[in-house]
Amino acid sequence: MSDLNTQAVARYKNNFLREVEERVEEGNMVKMCMQCGVCAGSCPFGPHWQHSPQKIFMMIRAGKREEVLSSDSMWMCTSCYNCIVRCPRKLPITHIMHGLANYAHRLNLAAKGQPTRDVARLFWNNLMKTGRINELTFSLGLYFKDGFIQGIKNSLAMQAAGLGLLKAKRLNPMEIFGGHKCKEKSGIHRMIAKAREIEDRRRGLA
Amino acid sequence: MAKKQYAFYPGCSSQKGASASNYITSFGVMCEKLDIQLNEIPDWNCCGASIGYGEGGELPRMVLNARNLAIAEKDLPGQDIVSGCPACWLGLREAVDRLHEHDRLKTETNEALKEVNLTYKGGSKARHMTEVLIEDIGYAGIKAPVVKPLDGLKVAGYVGCQANRPYGIAGESFENPLYLDKMIEAVGAEAVPYEQKAACCGGALAFSEPEKAQAQIRQIVEAAYDNAADLIVTPCPLCQANVEIYQAEINKKHGTKLNMPVLYYSQLITVAYGGSVKEAGLNGQVIRAAKLDKIAGG
């Protein structure tokens, strides 16, 4: 268990709803859920998660902290926004799921090796390098995230797609040498470090 | 006629040699014929996309978008900010909304922006390219420059998610948006009925949960076949890439024979305006659109 998690447990004791309201993006809207289940029926990945958004919201109110933060549900969000536009109480469900995913990741309660968690981290780290996403190094990073052998297997499995894109000139092998970048990349690093520092201080994660 | 000027935010996938470079290629003829001038925001950065939340919290994502908005306000004052990518558009628009509504978030954003000597004032509008076409040009305006009506071409208009939700196009419904069909018909093609028009392709989870995303993609492609479409057209780079590229994977795993071309609305428009295969970026397709290639003269 991470130090941040121990501190959070000590601080909020059994009031998980308050913890979510104070620390999770749009978390103050959780208590508006009236348990109708429209979100559950609207999610394209509905058959695949452990808990529907509706269940997650009730579990938050019931103080089921570990179960919520270690659930795979928020990592199944494709950001399709079906739940948001259909919710009769206008809860920003997609944003709350994103916020819960981020919080579970920061406290290190999200499952190790959760594939969407890994992809999200790779994506962010990739964009932070130059200020822009480098699709080649992002894809390679993805294939090789579970080691070299698995990486070769993954690359071979995706060879057809990769070659198709190369042939269509929509994947540039020269991007391996850095590729597109922002001129002000060090400024962007400072700017994001500052933003994270401010937000962590506010959320009690500093 | 004076050209309509916009601050342009291409986004990462629309860079040269990237996965949506065919999309951006097809903006050339289209914008020229419609007297639209796109002025690229200098030194723009990534919006964080729909997967940035995992590592990047709310404020870092707001700040990424606010930097682009602030540069546009400073260097291209008075111009609406336009993107062709729904995820980029969503990132910008969400930032505009939240920074307008939450004083604390705006103060914090500007504190971080000091690191790059910028200030976000607010007031500019973030729009998707389809909004510019529909609202500033109009369907009749889109139709006006057509020299090669796409007669007999059957098109499944795949709007997808983020070009439709949570903001969408003013006046359209989330469940059955019609704007893409109207654009298809404006250039003389036939918009076929399409049950999957607002379905999700799996988005960024095509990388992390390939089986689940490919089940979505298979339905999206099969529905286009069911309605006898010649090709699918979309306003979203991630939809385009996912739905086109993974057909080969699905065929390999399931013995299907999916081979449905997936293009951008701007490629259809370019061909209808007399653009060549190259100008419409049709040579950038992994699955070539034979019928459209032929109309374009390739």
Side-chain angles (χ1 to χ4, degrees):
Chain A
M1 225 183 260
S2 67
D3 288 348
L4 285 177
N5 188 46
T6 317
Q7 287 161 16
V9 170
R11 180 177 171 143
Y12 291 100
K13 307 210 164 52
N14 289 323
N15 198 340
F16 184 41
L17 177 63
R18 210 183 102 218
E19 182 178 351
V20 168
E21 287 177 332
E22 290 182 4
R23 292 183 160 196
V24 171
E25 188 173 337
E26 306 276 353
N28 60 329
M29 291 294 284
V30 166
K31 61 176 174 291
M32 295 297 289
C33 172
M34 64 177 186
Q35 294 292 302
C36 73
V38 166
C39 53
S42 297
C43 178
F45 276 24
H48 309 300
W49 27 240
Q50 287 173 293
H51 312 98
S52 66
Q54 164 205 14
K55 276 190 189 156
I56 290 281
F57 298 155
M58 188 48 95
M59 285 160 70
I60 291 171
R61 300 171 75 161
K64 297 198 175 292
R65 188 175 184 277
E66 292 278 322
E67 291 93 324
V68 168
L69 294 176
S70 61
S71 173
D72 70 1
S73 300
M74 47 276 200
W75 300 103
M76 290 291 169
C77 174
T78 63
S79 306
C80 80
Y81 296 86
N82 254 329
C83 52
I84 282 201
V85 301
R86 289 183 182 164
C87 175
R89 300 292 295 268
K90 301 274 181 281
L91 266 78
I93 301 172
T94 314
H95 301 145
I96 300 170
M97 296 311 265
H98 291 176
L100 283 169
N102 177 268
Y103 190 55
H105 167 65
R106 290 298 304 279
L107 294 189
N108 211 14
L109 290 176
K112 195 169 179 292
Q114 209 301 324
T116 304
R117 182 188 185 193
D118 286 351
V119 167
R121 188 164 29 193
L122 269 170
F123 187 92
W124 186 263
N125 293 341
N126 188 291
L127 94 80
M128 276 304 137
K129 273 199 194 103
T130 67
R132 294 183 190 177
I133 282 293
N134 181 320
E135 290 177 343
L136 181 74
T137 55
F138 173 63
S139 311
L140 290 176
L142 199 63
Y143 297 158
F144 286 88
K145 77 182 173 62
D146 299 318
F148 185 71
I149 303 290
Q150 190 56 41
I152 298 291
K153 282 187 193 156
N154 294 342
S155 306
L156 287 174
M158 285 305 291
Q159 200 180 22
L163 286 174
L165 280 176
L166 277 176
K167 218 175 120 205
K169 296 197 169 46
R170 283 160 56 195
L171 186 64
N172 182 0
M174 299 310 280
E175 289 276 312
I176 198 92
F177 302 112
H180 299 288
K181 56 171 79 73
C182 291
K183 287 193 208 89
E184 205 180 22
K185 70 174 183 189
S186 57
I188 293 171
H189 291 158
R190 287 196 308 274
M191 170 184 94
I192 294 301
K194 188 75 188 175
R196 186 146 162 149
E197 179 197 317
I198 296 168
E199 188 171 76
D200 280 358
R201 209 187 312 133
R202 167 160 52 80
R203 292 207 288 179
L205 295 176
Chain B
M1 195 171 73
K3 280 186 181 290
K4 293 184 183 66
Q5 307 263 344
Y6 300 93
F8 185 51
Y9 177 47
C12 301
S13 64
S14 287
Q15 299 177 99
K16 191 169 186 291
S19 59
S21 46
N22 52 338
Y23 185 26
I24 215 67
T25 299
S26 69
F27 273 24
V29 169
M30 180 179 82
C31 291
E32 193 194 308
K33 298 276 183 196
L34 296 174
D35 279 322
I36 290 172
Q37 187 176 321
L38 300 177
N39 306 309
E40 187 165 329
I41 298 172
D43 206 40
W44 55 267
N45 55 260
C46 174
C47 69
S50 48
I51 194 75
Y53 62 82
E55 184 68 50
E58 183 184 24
L59 190 60
R61 285 182 289 120
M62 288 301 125
V63 167
L64 277 178
N65 285 286
R67 178 176 175 272
N68 293 328
L69 293 165
I71 297 173
E73 281 177 358
K74 181 166 71 77
D75 290 2
L76 302 163
Q79 298 180 18
D80 286 353
I81 298 153
V82 173
S83 180
C85 171
C88 293
W89 172 54
L90 192 51
L92 288 172
R93 207 168 150 176
E94 214 170 78
V96 169
D97 277 10
R98 288 199 201 182
L99 297 175
H100 178 69
E101 282 163 19
H102 303 291
D103 290 341
R104 188 206 65 209
L105 206 55
K106 190 171 173 184
T107 308
E108 290 176 349
T109 296
N110 275 325
E111 199 183 327
L113 281 180
K114 272 188 205 151
E115 299 290 335
V116 286
N117 301 314
L118 287 168
T119 309
Y120 172 71
K121 295 188 191 73
S124 43
K125 247 175 119 177
R127 305 172 74 194
H128 188 265
M129 190 64 188
T130 51
E131 283 185 299
V132 169
L133 296 183
I134 296 161
E135 293 164 4
D136 299 0
I137 308 289
Y139 297 108
I142 296 171
K143 189 176 178 176
V146 171
V147 291
K148 277 189 195 170
L150 307 177
D151 290 331
L153 193 72
K154 294 182 171 204
V155 182
Y158 175 48
V159 179
C161 296
Q162 295 184 358
N164 182 37
R165 297 180 299 265
Y167 294 111
I169 306 296
E172 292 282 350
S173 94
F174 296 128
E175 306 293 338
N176 184 22
L178 299 175
Y179 72 90
L180 190 54
D181 292 345
K182 289 183 192 163
M183 288 170 74
I184 291 164
E185 306 220 310
V187 294
E190 180 193 341
V192 301
Y194 190 43
E195 305 81 358
Q196 294 281 320
K197 69 159 69 166
C200 176
C201 70
L205 272 66
F207 296 114
S208 54
E209 299 282 357
E211 298 295 330
K212 299 176 182 76
Q214 285 171 26
Q216 294 290 119
I217 292 165
R218 183 174 174 177
Q219 288 177 17
I220 290 161
V221 175
E222 287 180 343
Y225 276 111
D226 288 346
N227 292 298
D230 298 313
L231 50 94
I232 293 173
V233 154
T234 177
C236 173
L238 190 53
C239 292
Q240 194 284 333
N242 278 349
V243 177
E244 183 185 46
I245 294 164
Y246 292 108
Q247 288 184 48
E249 285 295 303
I250 296 166
N251 290 341
K252 209 161 64 184
K253 285 180 200 152
H254 303 283
T256 46
K257 289 182 179 153
L258 307 179
N259 193 38
M260 176 64 69
V262 187
L263 292 97
Y264 296 101
Y265 62 92
S266 49
Q267 295 179 287
L268 279 194
I269 293 175
T270 298
V271 173
Y273 288 0
S276 66
V277 167
K278 211 174 147 200
E279 284 169 328
L282 298 180
N283 53 351
Q285 299 307 117
V286 173
I287 300 174
R288 291 292 289 252
K291 277 200 179 175
L292 202 61
D293 280 349
K294 206 173 149 203
I295 299 172

